[in-house]
Amino acid sequence: PILDQEIHGHPLVYLDSAATSQKPNAVIDAEANFYRTINAGVHRGAHELAARSTMAFEEARAKVAKLVGANAAEGEEEVVVTGGATAGLNLLATAFGNASLGRGGEAAKRFALKPGDEIVVSRAEHHSVLLPFQELAYRTGATFKWIDLTEDGRVRTDNLDEVITERTKVVAVTHVGNATGAITNIAPIIKRAHEVGSIFILDACQSVPHLKVDFHALDVDFAAWSAHKMYGPTGVGFLYGKRELLEALPPANFGGSMVELAYMDHEAQYMAPPARFEAGTQPVAQVVAAGVAAEWMMNIGLENIEAHEKTIAAELLKLGDVDGIRILGPRENVDRIGTVAFDVAGVHPHDVGQFIDAQGIAIRVGHHCAQPVHRHFGLYASNRASSGVYNSVEDAQALVEAAKGIRKFFGVE
């Protein structure tokens, strides 16, 4: 419904879904109706509202799990509710740090890091991957390394044996570049990580909303993503983990709902996953609405979403045909999503953004929380258009047409 308005006298064209997606009525109604009808604390009360809210919460978790191919056997949940993808990735980095301090016992030693061990990411990472694992390296004395990029911004896979070694304990890589839109060829990276006994973590923020994803088939160990990028509410995300790994992982946050037995005089006994990682009051209404978003996407069909956005990407890539505009990332509409970052010669990205906004078109400006990627292209910032299911070919064409007037308007032709 938010799209049914005008901005600066023009019909709104929203091309900023990589930052946050707009929400269908079904999702908005689900969150509001939860508060109107069954709002209560989950897993805490014996009264009827608590039972209904708990059932809705867990049914939503199952829907989200199904969306990503993680619908494990009953009673063996593999999806943890977090405050967002950033929170999920920080949870992992903190838990690995706790394991490095000896917390979690014998089972958690597989996550422990020490000087001489290695953590590997890629230069394509969002800061939410880069910074938590960089900090983990600082705290544990591990060596921080990265997989570099090809000229057009794809994560390289031709030198994995050199970067991922027998000393590598953690590999964390993006599934889709949030700046370039490039889909990472993750299969050989996962294979190499597992060959050396490393844990593999996937940033799935930009893949879950746009591609058919199956974490079991991919054989990832952990994956994090956000609800607000998959047509769901803000303030909630999810962390997938293989069941045996979640059972061995020590908790990262502490408080109510995650402890089985608490004492004054000796160590607490923590609950089994996923509850162990869900301390405090959960964002219940948001999780319920995220479940509706997952169901909404599955009803449309992930294959249909992927095909539609490929059509939009083809139009957005025509930005590269405009004089003075350079696309950052793959020019070909192959192994990429409808996210296209671009640079306009002689015009600052913020000026470009304001010029485009004046025509009712919303795009992103800045470094997109991916500064190393921009340095790879010799820049500090760029503009980014990113599509969703609600975009039309005409939306993309409107941006390309508007872009043709940028350099003339600023007098740099």
Side-chain angles (χ1 to χ4, degrees):
I2 198 173
L3 301 174
D4 296 329
Q5 62 177 298
E6 290 191 347
I7 299 292
H8 304 308
H10 300 275
L12 171 61
V13 172
Y14 186 79
L15 288 168
D16 196 19
S17 294
T20 195
S21 62
Q22 300 301 345
K23 323 305 175 193
N25 279 318
V27 170
I28 297 169
D29 291 345
E31 184 170 348
N33 288 338
F34 177 88
Y35 287 127
R36 289 193 183 103
T37 59
I38 60 171
N39 180 46
V42 301
H43 299 299
R44 287 191 172 104
H47 57 80
E48 181 63 20
L49 286 184
R52 291 181 185 178
S53 61
T54 298
M55 183 176 295
F57 180 77
E58 293 302 336
E59 286 177 349
R61 189 199 305 269
K63 291 174 184 176
V64 172
K66 184 177 181 181
L67 176 71
V68 296
N71 47 325
E74 185 177 352
E76 295 186 352
E77 296 91 346
E78 297 178 312
V79 173
V80 175
V81 172
T82 67
T86 301
L89 292 160
N90 276 275
L91 184 159
L92 287 176
T94 300
F96 288 8
N98 290 345
S100 303
L101 295 173
R103 302 297 294 159
E106 190 69 27
K109 287 184 178 179
R110 65 197 305 175
F111 308 112
L113 292 147
K114 63 185 184 303
D117 292 338
E118 297 172 347
I119 299 171
V120 174
V121 300
S122 82
R123 193 184 290 274
E125 301 312 313
H126 189 282
H127 296 166
S128 292
V129 176
L130 173 65
L131 299 181
F133 290 101
Q134 207 170 52
E135 288 294 326
L136 178 61
Y138 293 146
R139 292 197 304 273
T140 61
T143 301
F144 188 78
K145 299 170 65 178
W146 57 91
I147 307 167
D148 227 317
L149 308 180
T150 62
E151 186 177 350
D152 64 354
R154 293 189 182 276
V155 178
R156 290 179 57 183
T157 57
D158 59 338
N159 63 339
L160 295 177
D161 289 358
E162 300 169 22
V163 184
I164 301 172
T165 74
E166 298 294 332
R167 294 184 297 276
T168 303
K169 301 300 182 185
V170 179
V171 178
V173 174
T174 184
H175 201 178
V176 178
N178 78 304
T180 64
I183 299 172
T184 306
N185 181 16
I186 59 172
I189 305 175
I190 295 169
K191 181 175 181 291
R192 177 59 181 166
H194 288 163
E195 280 176 355
V196 300
S198 175
I199 297 292
F200 182 86
I201 301 165
L202 186 69
D203 173 7
C205 269
Q206 299 295 339
S207 58
V208 169
H210 305 285
L211 308 173
K212 187 174 178 61
V213 173
D214 185 330
F215 292 146
H216 283 180
L218 291 171
D219 196 27
V220 301
D221 297 315
F222 295 99
W225 70 104
S226 294
H228 75 99
K229 296 182 191 293
M230 50 167 270
Y231 311 102
T234 54
V236 64
F238 303 96
L239 174 68
Y240 161 81
K242 289 179 177 176
R243 183 66 189 183
E244 65 272 18
L245 295 180
L246 288 176
E247 289 176 342
L249 190 69
N253 300 299
F254 302 86
S257 298
M258 54 77 68
V259 64
E260 191 76 51
L261 296 169
Y263 307 92
M264 297 300 293
D265 55 353
H266 60 87
E267 188 175 350
Q269 295 180 27
Y270 299 114
M271 297 182 73
R276 180 188 302 169
F277 305 105
E278 296 178 0
T281 300
Q282 298 91 340
V284 184
Q286 289 74 25
V287 171
V288 170
V292 171
E295 191 171 46
W296 184 81
M297 291 176 63
M298 288 186 286
N299 286 340
I300 293 172
L302 275 299
E303 299 90 345
N304 295 327
I305 292 174
E306 190 171 342
H308 172 70
E309 293 187 20
K310 193 173 185 68
T311 300
I312 305 302
E315 295 298 322
L316 291 175
L317 286 168
K318 292 177 182 178
L319 285 163
D321 298 329
V322 179
D323 187 46
I325 291 183
R326 173 170 63 125
I327 286 177
L328 313 183
R331 281 297 312 271
E332 302 78 22
N333 194 14
V334 177
D335 293 330
R336 61 146 39 253
I337 65 168
T339 292
V340 178
F342 60 98
D343 175 58
V344 181
V347 185
H348 193 282
H350 289 95
D351 292 330
V352 172
Q354 287 189 319
F355 177 84
I356 296 298
D357 177 65
Q359 298 174 65
I361 304 172
I363 61 172
R364 176 75 181 268
V365 303
H367 52 62
H368 323 316
C369 301
Q371 292 182 23
V373 177
H374 281 82
R375 293 193 190 100
H376 174 76
F377 290 109
L379 300 168
Y380 291 100
S382 68
N383 298 95
R384 182 186 69 187
S386 53
S387 64
V389 296
Y390 33 65
N391 288 120
S392 64
V393 167
E394 289 75 19
D395 289 345
Q397 290 173 340
L399 174 61
V400 174
E401 195 59 33
K404 293 176 181 177
I406 295 170
R407 299 184 77 235
K408 182 177 181 181
F409 179 83
F410 289 100
V412 295
E413 276 192 333

